[in-house]
Structures are given as structure tokens and as C-alpha cells.
Amino acid sequence: MPAVVIDGKAISQKIREDVQRRTTILKEKSITPCLAVILAGEDPASISYVTAKEKALTEAGMTGRNIHLPADTAETKLLNLIAELNKDTSVHGILVQLPLPRHINEDKVITAIDPAKDVDGFHPVSVGNMVLGRPGFLPCTPHGVLVLLREIKHPLSGAHAVVVGRSNIVGKPLANLLTRRDVNATVTVCHTGTKDLVRHTLEADILIAAAGKPALITPEMVKPGAAVIDVGVNRVPDSSAKNGYRLCGDVENAVAEKAGYITPVPGGVGPMTIAMLMQNVVQAAEESKV
Ligand code: GUN
């Protein structure tokens, strides 16, 4: 039997409706949640992500302060801008779209953001809070994956989750969230240094592909009935597409014949990331001292 396709769009919609409701309550108290979105350079994928985030903010009734900087912006200029936004009480969240141009130190930039406005959950303080299970902003994509898994009621406690990829944005935080007591999965993290990847993936009740490699996961690598979550968003050249490329995940389409659940690309994890970001922005505004 082919896999149940997890409708990330529909699940994210419910979250966004709740965000909208919370935004309305804040606006009645004259607080309009505001996210400053900083993009440096012209990376086409980053432009499309930022545009989607700005659209979601408007739909939720929130404000987006969109700051598009040239690719050759000096690091000090970006750091000064963040210092200004940290002080600005009308700004509740600050998001710097990654990757940054090569001459800018990402670590320095992320660390410059006030943790109270770190709606991406990338600041070392946010990461520390997450690891310790303290309140704070959770990173949007890993949190979105967790919400998807809960929504389909896939058994998590005692399940073996295999995360393929160890990025700071997805793999590392997701592995951490899955081992929380209230989730209780056993986690294996695979990466480019892993020997015999298939041996590990075949053991997965939950397989999360977050390596950024098109079609890395093939049907032979999947345990029958597993929940397969595809975090990959890869642009592959396609002369038949009007923009010259198509989006493809890290998971081959044929995996749907073997898995129990699968997320589509697009329409799976992507919309969840945006919904969780909106949730963090409204939370930042609720917690702001005005
Ligand atoms: N680049 C890819 N994903 C993300 C994300 O979730 N946040 C930011 N700021 N940049 C990204």
C-alpha cells in the first residue's frame, strides 16, 4: 500500500490560524507583532524563502520590516543594523536569512541578535535553552517536523529515529528535540562520515532526510511502513519547467511505495517552517515588555 502523504500545508494552516487569533488579541492592546527580515545578496532560493515569510506575516496581520542589503555589505554595517533593531521596541523578532555572503561571519551575526528577538532559535543562548529543556524559541524546521510527527500520531516514544544530516539548522537540533523525555525517541544521527548509511536507515521507524542531496534516500534504504520526513529542498535543472528548475527533496519519489507516511516536496516540511516562525514571532510580541 502506498504511503499516506502528510499534508504539511493543511497542518500549517491550522497553526497560522491560531497565530492570527493571537495577533488580533495583541492588536487590541495596540501591539502589532513585527519581524525584521534581513537578506544580504541575491541568492534566488533565499529571495524566495524571504518572500514567502513576508507574505505569511501579512496574512497573519503582522508587520514585516524587510531589509534587503547588497551582497557586498560590510559585516560591521550588518552588526550595527542588528544593534539598532535590538533596541527598537517596535521590532519583536529579527531574522537574518542564511547563508550570508562569504565575507560575513555567520556566527558573529547570529550571536549579535538579542536572544529575546531570536525567532529563528539559532543564537547560542536559544540553543542552550533548547538542549536544557528550558523555555525559549525552538528552531522552526525541527519544531515543524516534530509537530508533523505528532499530528499523524506516529508512535514516538521508544521509536528509532534516524536523522540524516547534522546541520546546525536542522539535523543537530532535531536530534536533540527527538530525545526529549516528552518525545522519547532513540536517535541515530548519520552524516557524510557515516559508513554504510543503508544499515542505519533500514533500522529507522522514523527517517528524517536533511542532507541537502537530491534523491539520497532510495526505497532499498527504507524499512516498510516507516514515517519518512523529507527536509530537502533542492533545485535541480529542468528545461521543461518555466523557471528552468524544479524542486526536489532528499527522498526519491519511489520511496512512497515502501513508507507508511511521507512528506511531499514542496508542501510538506516547508510550510511548517513558516508556520513555526510565525508562532515564534507572535510569542516574541506577547513576551515583549512594552
Ligand atoms: N536558511 C535556510 N533555512 C533558514 C531558516 O530557517 N532561517 C534562516 N534565517 N535562514 C535559513
Side-chain angles (χ1 to χ4, degrees):
M1 208 167 57
V4 172
V5 177
I6 304 173
D7 189 346
K9 231 172 152 180
I11 299 167
S12 69
Q13 195 52 38
K14 287 198 287 183
I15 295 163
R16 283 168 65 167
E17 279 162 19
D18 183 59
V19 168
Q20 214 166 9
R21 184 189 59 76
R22 288 163 67 184
T23 301
T24 307
I25 294 170
L26 283 172
K27 282 173 138 175
E28 282 161 8
K29 296 183 206 160
S30 303
I31 301 166
T32 302
C34 171
L35 174 66
V37 180
I38 304 171
L39 170 65
E42 306 297 331
D43 174 59
S46 292
I47 291 174
S48 85
Y49 292 143
V50 162
T51 307
K53 289 168 188 177
E54 287 160 358
K55 187 163 165 257
L57 286 166
T58 309
E59 274 176 25
M62 305 197 272
T63 305
R65 193 172 303 176
N66 312 320
I67 304 162
H68 193 166
L69 303 170
D72 62 357
T73 299
E75 185 181 278
T76 46
K77 187 164 176 198
L78 180 52
L79 293 171
N80 289 339
L81 172 64
I82 291 172
E84 287 300 314
L85 294 168
N86 282 341
K87 279 189 282 183
D88 187 337
T89 53
S90 68
V91 172
H92 304 101
I94 301 169
L95 180 145
V96 180
Q97 187 64 31
L98 303 178
L100 284 167
R102 286 236 295 272
H103 66 283
I104 300 179
N105 181 328
E106 262 176 27
D107 258 359
K108 242 185 182 172
V109 169
I110 290 169
T111 309
I113 298 170
D114 178 349
K117 299 190 179 188
D118 175 37
V119 290
D120 254 331
F122 294 167
H123 190 287
V125 166
S126 305
V127 177
N129 285 334
M130 176 195 67
V131 173
L132 296 171
R134 292 187 190 170
F137 296 114
L138 294 179
C140 304
T141 302
H143 192 195
V145 169
L146 195 53
V147 171
L148 278 183
L149 288 169
R150 287 215 158 106
E151 191 72 23
I152 61 170
K153 302 197 167 35
H154 198 78
L156 297 173
S157 185
H160 186 184
V162 175
V163 180
V164 184
R166 59 174 153 188
S167 69
N168 288 344
I169 293 183
V170 185
K172 277 189 217 168
L174 188 51
N176 188 270
L177 289 177
L178 288 165
T179 55
R180 280 189 165 186
R181 264 182 204 283
D182 61 341
V183 182
N184 225 22
T186 299
V187 179
T188 300
V189 181
C190 298
H191 45 76
T192 45
T194 300
K195 285 183 191 152
D196 202 358
L197 178 62
V198 184
R199 181 170 70 83
H200 295 287
T201 59
L202 273 176
E203 292 290 317
D205 305 308
I206 300 163
L207 178 58
I208 294 152
K213 287 211 178 88
L216 172 70
I217 307 296
T218 58
E220 304 73 49
M221 298 168 78
V222 176
K223 178 168 159 178
V228 179
I229 308 294
D230 192 350
V231 185
V233 189
N234 307 294
R235 290 182 167 211
V236 293
D238 182 349
S239 54
S240 69
K242 74 170 184 282
N243 39 16
Y245 70 87
R246 67 189 158 80
L247 289 182
C248 106
D250 287 1
V251 177
E252 255 189 17
N253 291 339
V255 169
E257 299 304 319
K258 192 116 176 253
Y261 291 91
I262 197 160
T263 56
V265 176
V269 174
M272 293 303 293
T273 298
I274 295 196
M276 304 327 287
L277 174 66
M278 297 301 117
Q279 199 174 68
N280 281 351
V281 177
V282 82
Q283 184 188 322
E286 286 166 350
E287 290 170 358
S288 67
K289 294 173 193 71
V290 222

